[in-house]
Each structure stands twice: as structure tokens, then as C-alpha cells.
Amino acid sequence: MSEKKEIEIMQSVYDKNDEVATQINASFNENGIFAINVMGAPGAGKTSTLIQIIKRLEGITSYVIEGDIEADFDTKHLQSLGVQAIQINTGGACHLDSPLIGKAAKELALKNGVLFIENIGNLVCPAEFQIGEHVKMLISTVTEGSDKPYKYPLAFEKADIIILNKCDLIPYLDFDEEFFMKGVRALNKTAPVVKVSCKTEEGFEEAVEWIKNKLK
Ligand SMILES: Nc1nc2c(ncn2[C@@H]2O[C@H](COP(=O)(O)OP(=O)(O)OP(=O)(O)O)[C@@H](O)[C@H]2O)c(=O)[nH]1
Ligand SMILES: [Mg+2]
């Protein structure tokens, strides 16, 4: 009985979230905004990757909504680089939801450009919630180990593009790229997997081209 009640409540939480997400997505379309939900574990390099991508999107306005449980270091860092960024602190919640994005998007007064939404560092819950995005970008790293697609399948399954970050550290690790790719492809046949390093700033061209093609 109690189990049945829990399922009903969860269903209504997802339904309400998805309804708002659909409205937000329509508003993004009206305003010429292409929205990317950026997901990944804590410290995977989500903010570092955004910095690398944004500086290669010359001539295209980039906005960032930064999601964190607490603190605003990433927003301050992006703003110091001239990026229009706004902070959301969930105060404990492990993912962003669409009402939070709706409010932040209004404050940014978005018009014609790319909106990156850096989700809370978490490889599980962000993949479950639509937040009005057009695509999902997953930042995975070689330091997390090559078994992550097997252990956290939903994020890999739902990603439209997978960035494999921190590749400068491969010589010091036992990362098994073949095993990683086998796990990814069992879940997701189409998402490009792009190897990068924010440290050496290498490998970002493919990701930038992918975004530019989506904008067309
Ligand atoms: N060696 C190496 N370090 C990296 C790379 N990318 C990011 N880092 C480091 O990893 C740490 C976390 O990077 P962030 O960009 O803050 O990661 P994040 O995913 O935004 O972190 P949260 O927002 O806290 O979840 C920082 O110390 C970065 O300098 C990389 O490609 N190579
Ligand atoms: Mg960050």
C-alpha cells in the first residue's frame, strides 16, 4: 500500500516538471535559444569544459545557468571571463528542475544564443529530469574509471554528446578506453564521444562543431 502511494507521488512530480519543461523549451525556441543540459559527477570538469567551449563559440552569445547545492564560485569565475552567468543554489536538492530553470532564465533575459545549464554534480538524478533543454551533454572523465557507463547507465543512455575529459591524465591511470566505449555503445549507439583535456585545451573542435551544427 505504502509502496503504491510512493509511485503515484513520483509520477505527479515528473508530470508537473515535464509540463513546465515543455513551456520553457517553447519559450527558448521563441527567443532563439539553444539549451544544453550539462551533466556529470562532481568535479568532472563541467565548468572547465564550458569555459573551453564558450571561448571557441566566437560570434555566438553564450549564457550559463550554474547549478550547485551551495556556493557560487563557478558563476563568479564565468562572470570574471565576461560570460553572462547566473547561479541557482538548490540548498540540498541533487538535481535542477524546470521551475528553477524557468525563474533563472527570466532573470538572464535570454535572446539568440546558446544557454548552457550546468546541472548539480551528480551522475544519477539530473538525467531523470527534463529542464527545457534541447540536448544533454554528459561530461565523463578518465579519473572516474572506465566502468561508469555500466554503473550509471541512465546518464550515458540519455546523453546526446559525451565529453571524455581529463585525457591528459591517461598515462597515469589504468583507464580502459575499449571497455568504456563498449559500455557506452551498449546504451547509446549515436552520441559522439569526444576526448578532451581542459588542462592542455585539446580536443574541443569536434564538440564545438557539433554545437554549431545543432544551431543550424
Ligand atoms: N588534469 C586535469 N584537470 C582538470 C581537467 N578539467 C578539469 N580539471 C580540474 O578538475 C577540477 C574540477 O573542475 P571543474 O571544472 O570545477 O569541475 P565541475 O564538474 O564544474 O565541478 P563541480 O561544479 O564542483 O561539480 C578543477 O581542479 C580543474 O582544474 C582536465 O582536463 N585535466
Ligand atoms: Mg562546476
Side-chain angles (χ1 to χ4, degrees), residues 113-170:
V114 183
L115 169 66
F116 296 92
I117 305 169
E118 181 179 331
N119 220 311
I120 309 298
N122 179 341
L123 215 41
V124 185
C125 311
E128 293 175 11
F129 286 81
Q130 303 279 358
I131 49 174
E133 75 271 34
H134 294 93
V135 293
K136 295 185 202 295
M137 172 182 282
L138 175 64
I139 316 292
S140 187
T141 70
V142 293
T143 48
E144 290 161 7
S146 33
D147 56 2
K148 290 305 160 289
Y150 302 88
K151 292 182 176 174
Y152 301 90
L154 194 65
F156 288 88
E157 187 187 323
K158 293 220 168 167
D160 296 289
I161 181 167
I162 298 167
I163 307 289
L164 181 59
N165 189 29
K166 308 198 183 183
C167 286
D168 54 292
L169 298 175
I170 287 177

XYZ file of all heavy atoms in Angstrom, residues 113-170:
452
model
N 21.073 32.783 -28.797
C 22.377 32.264 -28.400
C 22.265 30.857 -27.840
O 21.260 30.166 -28.029
N 23.331 30.449 -27.161
C 23.372 29.118 -26.548
C 23.293 29.274 -25.036
O 24.016 30.084 -24.458
C 24.686 28.380 -26.896
C 24.677 26.971 -26.307
C 24.890 28.316 -28.394
N 22.406 28.518 -24.432
C 22.309 28.501 -22.968
C 22.861 27.166 -22.471
O 22.328 26.106 -22.807
C 20.850 28.656 -22.521
C 20.596 28.399 -21.028
C 21.287 29.447 -20.157
C 19.098 28.367 -20.729
N 23.929 27.234 -21.685
C 24.457 26.040 -21.034
C 23.887 26.008 -19.621
O 23.973 27.004 -18.892
C 25.984 26.107 -20.949
C 26.667 26.100 -22.289
C 26.980 27.301 -22.924
C 26.984 24.908 -22.920
C 27.608 27.297 -24.166
C 27.612 24.900 -24.154
C 27.933 26.102 -24.786
N 23.301 24.895 -19.250
C 22.781 24.748 -17.890
C 23.642 23.709 -17.190
O 23.550 22.505 -17.479
C 21.302 24.296 -17.898
C 20.441 25.257 -18.732
C 20.774 24.210 -16.458
C 19.022 24.749 -19.017
N 24.549 24.176 -16.319
C 25.415 23.224 -15.589
C 24.612 22.651 -14.438
O 24.285 23.338 -13.467
C 26.695 23.891 -15.073
C 27.571 22.861 -14.360
C 28.893 23.395 -13.828
O 29.455 24.342 -14.389
O 29.367 22.828 -12.813
N 24.288 21.386 -14.572
C 23.462 20.731 -13.561
C 24.286 20.449 -12.297
O 25.503 20.579 -12.290
C 22.864 19.441 -14.140
C 21.424 19.233 -13.700
O 21.124 19.343 -12.506
N 20.547 18.957 -14.641
N 23.639 20.036 -11.243
C 24.315 19.678 -9.998
C 25.266 18.498 -10.270
O 24.920 17.586 -11.023
C 23.279 19.229 -8.924
C 22.148 20.260 -8.768
C 23.952 18.926 -7.592
C 22.583 21.614 -8.310
N 26.458 18.529 -9.670
C 27.402 17.436 -9.855
C 26.840 16.139 -9.292
O 26.740 15.973 -8.074
N 26.458 15.245 -10.196
C 25.731 14.039 -9.792
C 25.523 13.216 -11.062
O 25.032 13.740 -12.054
C 24.385 14.476 -9.187
C 23.501 13.322 -8.743
O 23.676 12.192 -9.161
N 22.533 13.620 -7.907
N 25.876 11.966 -11.041
C 25.764 11.130 -12.244
C 24.420 10.393 -12.308
O 24.216 9.570 -13.190
C 26.933 10.131 -12.264
C 27.550 9.737 -13.596
C 27.716 10.899 -14.541
C 28.879 9.028 -13.356
N 23.521 10.686 -11.381
C 22.267 9.928 -11.325
C 21.054 10.823 -11.638
O 20.518 10.804 -12.745
C 22.097 9.263 -9.943
C 20.858 8.367 -9.929
C 23.320 8.450 -9.574
N 20.637 11.626 -10.664
C 19.345 12.323 -10.739
C 19.197 13.319 -11.899
O 18.110 13.398 -12.481
C 19.048 13.027 -9.424
S 19.276 11.940 -8.028
N 20.214 14.110 -12.251
C 19.997 15.078 -13.337
C 19.478 14.428 -14.621
O 18.713 15.050 -15.362
C 21.385 15.706 -13.538
C 21.988 15.642 -12.178
C 21.544 14.308 -11.634
N 19.865 13.197 -14.885
C 19.426 12.534 -16.123
C 17.925 12.217 -16.108
O 17.328 11.954 -17.148
C 20.221 11.249 -16.328
N 17.322 12.264 -14.943
C 15.901 11.891 -14.826
C 14.953 13.059 -15.062
O 13.764 12.864 -15.244
C 15.633 11.328 -13.418
C 16.321 10.006 -13.156
C 16.120 9.545 -11.721
O 15.288 10.125 -11.003
O 16.831 8.618 -11.309
N 15.478 14.284 -15.021
C 14.598 15.450 -15.068
C 14.835 16.303 -16.311
O 15.943 16.787 -16.538
C 14.806 16.324 -13.812
C 14.202 15.731 -12.580
C 14.872 14.740 -11.875
C 12.949 16.133 -12.137
C 14.304 14.167 -10.746
C 12.376 15.569 -11.020
C 13.053 14.577 -10.313
N 13.780 16.492 -17.118
C 13.815 17.441 -18.235
C 13.845 18.839 -17.651
O 13.105 19.119 -16.702
C 12.533 17.326 -19.068
C 12.233 15.959 -19.612
C 13.011 15.668 -20.872
O 13.756 16.514 -21.363
N 12.857 14.479 -21.380
N 14.642 19.728 -18.222
C 14.648 21.106 -17.714
C 14.494 22.107 -18.864
O 14.967 23.228 -18.773
C 15.911 21.400 -16.865
C 17.182 20.946 -17.587
C 15.805 20.742 -15.502
C 18.471 21.336 -16.858
N 13.847 21.671 -19.944
C 13.599 22.569 -21.075
C 14.707 22.558 -22.105
O 14.689 23.317 -23.072
N 15.680 21.669 -21.925
C 16.838 21.634 -22.826
C 16.493 21.043 -24.186
O 15.522 20.302 -24.333
C 17.969 20.801 -22.198
C 17.770 19.287 -22.220
C 17.029 18.779 -20.986
O 16.153 19.497 -20.465
O 17.322 17.642 -20.564
N 17.347 21.371 -25.163
C 17.254 20.728 -26.478
C 18.108 19.461 -26.510
O 17.741 18.485 -27.155
C 17.714 21.691 -27.571
C 16.807 22.872 -27.715
N 17.023 24.053 -27.059
C 15.649 23.027 -28.407
C 16.045 24.905 -27.349
N 15.199 24.305 -28.158
N 19.258 19.514 -25.844
C 20.147 18.341 -25.808
C 20.802 18.199 -24.434
O 20.880 19.161 -23.663
C 21.276 18.417 -26.882
C 20.726 18.329 -28.289
C 22.123 19.669 -26.709
N 21.278 17.006 -24.173
C 22.016 16.734 -22.938
C 23.479 16.446 -23.289
O 23.747 15.638 -24.187
C 21.448 15.516 -22.219
C 20.021 15.687 -21.693
C 19.646 14.444 -20.903
C 18.142 14.237 -20.766
N 17.434 15.242 -20.013
N 24.390 17.113 -22.564
C 25.822 16.870 -22.735
C 26.332 16.240 -21.447
O 26.159 16.814 -20.367
C 26.542 18.209 -22.998
C 28.044 18.123 -22.999
S 28.825 19.759 -23.245
C 28.625 19.965 -25.004
N 26.939 15.067 -21.566
C 27.479 14.407 -20.376
C 28.992 14.590 -20.342
O 29.678 14.287 -21.319
C 27.141 12.908 -20.414
C 27.754 12.076 -19.280
C 27.199 12.502 -17.919
C 27.503 10.588 -19.513
N 29.495 15.085 -19.214
C 30.941 15.173 -19.027
C 31.349 13.983 -18.163
O 30.976 13.883 -16.998
C 31.373 16.480 -18.300
C 30.639 17.712 -18.847
C 32.893 16.637 -18.355
C 30.964 18.116 -20.237
N 32.113 13.067 -18.784
C 32.657 11.932 -18.054
C 34.170 12.135 -18.007
O 34.708 12.932 -18.768
C 32.289 10.643 -18.804
O 32.645 9.514 -18.060
N 34.850 11.446 -17.108
C 36.305 11.650 -17.050
C 37.041 10.327 -16.898
O 36.500 9.357 -16.344
C 36.735 12.521 -15.849
O 36.546 11.767 -14.652
C 35.964 13.805 -15.756
N 38.279 10.347 -17.344
C 39.109 9.136 -17.236
C 39.450 8.839 -15.771
O 39.716 7.688 -15.416
C 40.395 9.264 -18.080
C 40.058 9.304 -19.565
C 41.217 10.487 -17.691
N 39.407 9.849 -14.922
C 39.733 9.630 -13.499
C 38.615 8.891 -12.760
O 38.835 8.342 -11.687
C 40.002 10.970 -12.786
O 38.954 11.873 -13.131
C 41.327 11.555 -13.203
N 37.402 8.902 -13.337
C 36.275 8.212 -12.684
C 36.361 6.699 -12.871
O 35.679 5.949 -12.177
C 34.943 8.704 -13.276
C 34.613 10.139 -12.904
C 33.571 10.761 -13.820
O 32.993 10.052 -14.676
O 33.342 11.966 -13.696
N 37.149 6.265 -13.870
C 37.245 4.829 -14.162
C 36.386 4.457 -15.357
O 35.373 5.107 -15.643
N 36.783 3.387 -16.042
C 36.128 3.027 -17.303
C 34.819 2.260 -17.116
O 34.131 1.953 -18.080
C 37.096 2.216 -18.165
O 37.937 1.420 -17.371
N 34.457 1.982 -15.855
C 33.230 1.200 -15.625
C 31.985 2.070 -15.435
O 30.893 1.555 -15.197
C 33.405 0.281 -14.403
C 33.793 1.041 -13.133
O 33.897 2.287 -13.192
O 33.992 0.389 -12.091
N 32.118 3.376 -15.534
C 30.982 4.250 -15.210
C 29.743 4.052 -16.095
O 28.627 4.096 -15.581
C 31.417 5.726 -15.182
C 32.324 6.046 -14.003
C 31.699 5.662 -12.669
C 32.700 5.509 -11.549
N 33.576 4.331 -11.617
N 29.868 3.779 -17.403
C 28.642 3.532 -18.185
C 27.860 2.327 -17.650
O 26.631 2.296 -17.728
C 29.164 3.247 -19.597
C 30.535 3.821 -19.632
C 31.067 3.747 -18.231
N 28.567 1.357 -17.108
C 27.907 0.141 -16.602
C 27.197 0.425 -15.278
O 26.167 -0.176 -14.979
C 28.943 -0.969 -16.393
C 29.707 -1.313 -17.654
C 30.874 -0.629 -17.992
C 29.253 -2.311 -18.522
C 31.576 -0.933 -19.158
C 29.958 -2.627 -19.683
C 31.113 -1.929 -19.988
O 31.798 -2.238 -21.143
N 27.787 1.328 -14.470
C 27.239 1.575 -13.134
C 26.206 2.692 -13.094
O 25.367 2.731 -12.199
C 28.385 1.933 -12.182
C 29.324 0.782 -11.896
C 30.383 1.233 -10.910
C 31.298 0.085 -10.522
N 32.403 0.548 -9.673
N 26.319 3.641 -14.010
C 25.408 4.795 -14.047
C 24.806 4.899 -15.446
O 25.047 5.877 -16.159
C 26.154 6.077 -13.673
C 26.772 6.020 -12.293
C 28.066 5.537 -12.104
C 26.047 6.424 -11.173
C 28.633 5.464 -10.842
C 26.603 6.354 -9.908
C 27.894 5.875 -9.748
O 28.443 5.809 -8.490
N 24.025 3.892 -15.871
C 23.646 3.808 -17.283
C 22.765 4.946 -17.798
O 22.912 5.356 -18.946
C 22.903 2.469 -17.373
C 22.550 2.096 -15.975
C 23.568 2.724 -15.091
N 21.868 5.461 -16.959
C 20.886 6.414 -17.494
C 21.537 7.664 -18.087
O 21.141 8.135 -19.161
C 19.882 6.817 -16.392
C 18.640 7.535 -16.910
C 17.795 6.637 -17.799
C 17.805 8.084 -15.755
N 22.524 8.209 -17.388
C 23.188 9.427 -17.878
C 23.828 9.165 -19.243
O 23.762 10.013 -20.143
C 24.241 9.889 -16.879
N 24.433 7.993 -19.413
C 25.078 7.660 -20.684
C 24.040 7.372 -21.765
O 24.221 7.728 -22.923
C 26.020 6.460 -20.503
C 27.257 6.818 -19.739
C 27.280 6.757 -18.347
C 28.401 7.254 -20.402
C 28.418 7.112 -17.633
C 29.546 7.608 -19.685
C 29.554 7.540 -18.295
N 22.942 6.756 -21.362
C 21.879 6.422 -22.309
C 21.217 7.687 -22.859
O 20.918 7.787 -24.041
C 20.848 5.557 -21.563
C 19.759 4.995 -22.427
C 18.696 4.301 -21.568
O 19.040 3.657 -20.561
O 17.517 4.454 -21.909
N 21.011 8.664 -21.992
C 20.259 9.854 -22.396
C 21.116 10.939 -23.042
O 20.592 11.897 -23.604
C 19.551 10.440 -21.171
C 18.460 9.543 -20.633
C 17.273 10.360 -20.220
C 16.080 9.474 -19.966
N 15.018 10.188 -19.280
N 22.438 10.817 -22.950
C 23.310 11.883 -23.463
C 23.227 11.977 -24.989
O 23.194 10.969 -25.688
C 24.747 11.617 -23.036
N 23.220 13.218 -25.487
C 23.291 13.444 -26.935
C 24.734 13.605 -27.376
O 25.050 13.412 -28.541
C 22.487 14.694 -27.304
C 21.014 14.511 -27.006
O 20.372 13.730 -27.731
O 20.517 15.093 -26.017
N 25.583 14.008 -26.445
C 27.029 14.061 -26.710
C 27.738 13.748 -25.390
O 27.278 14.165 -24.325
C 27.469 15.427 -27.295
C 28.978 15.437 -27.593
C 27.099 16.589 -26.372
C 29.431 16.621 -28.455
N 28.814 12.984 -25.493
C 29.587 12.612 -24.290
C 30.996 13.185 -24.446
O 31.675 12.910 -25.445
C 29.642 11.083 -24.115
C 28.222 10.532 -23.911
C 30.551 10.699 -22.938
C 28.094 9.021 -24.036
N 31.385 14.004 -23.477
C 32.741 14.550 -23.463
C 33.543 13.692 -22.487
O 33.145 13.552 -21.328
C 32.739 16.022 -22.972
C 31.749 16.885 -23.770
C 34.155 16.599 -22.983
C 32.126 17.176 -25.182
N 34.638 13.129 -22.963
C 35.518 12.361 -22.061
C 36.692 13.268 -21.694
O 37.596 13.507 -22.507
C 35.987 11.068 -22.739
C 36.886 10.174 -21.877
C 36.188 9.744 -20.586
C 37.349 8.952 -22.668
N 36.646 13.805 -20.481
C 37.579 14.855 -20.065
C 38.775 14.277 -19.273
O 38.763 13.120 -18.876
C 36.811 15.882 -19.211
C 37.638 17.124 -18.909
O 38.517 17.506 -19.683
N 37.368 17.746 -17.777
N 39.746 15.137 -19.071
C 40.965 14.858 -18.294
C 41.847 13.820 -18.981
O 42.544 13.038 -18.322
C 40.638 14.444 -16.843
C 39.706 15.445 -16.126
C 39.705 15.331 -14.631
C 38.709 16.305 -14.005
N 38.700 16.313 -12.543
N 41.802 13.784 -20.323
C 42.595 12.792 -21.063
C 44.100 13.016 -20.913
O 44.883 12.109 -21.213
C 42.172 12.778 -22.534
S 40.573 11.980 -22.755
N 44.496 14.199 -20.439
C 45.929 14.429 -20.156
C 46.432 13.491 -19.057
O 47.638 13.251 -18.938
C 46.168 15.892 -19.721
C 45.274 16.295 -18.557
O 44.053 16.382 -18.757
O 45.791 16.488 -17.433
N 45.504 12.938 -18.264
C 45.904 12.082 -17.134
C 45.955 10.594 -17.485
O 46.335 9.770 -16.647
C 44.941 12.309 -15.952
C 44.937 13.742 -15.388
C 43.881 13.895 -14.304
C 46.308 14.107 -14.829
N 45.590 10.252 -18.724
C 45.563 8.829 -19.125
C 46.887 8.101 -18.822
O 46.862 6.966 -18.317
C 45.149 8.672 -20.623
C 43.646 8.954 -20.752
C 45.479 7.287 -21.161
C 43.105 8.903 -22.170
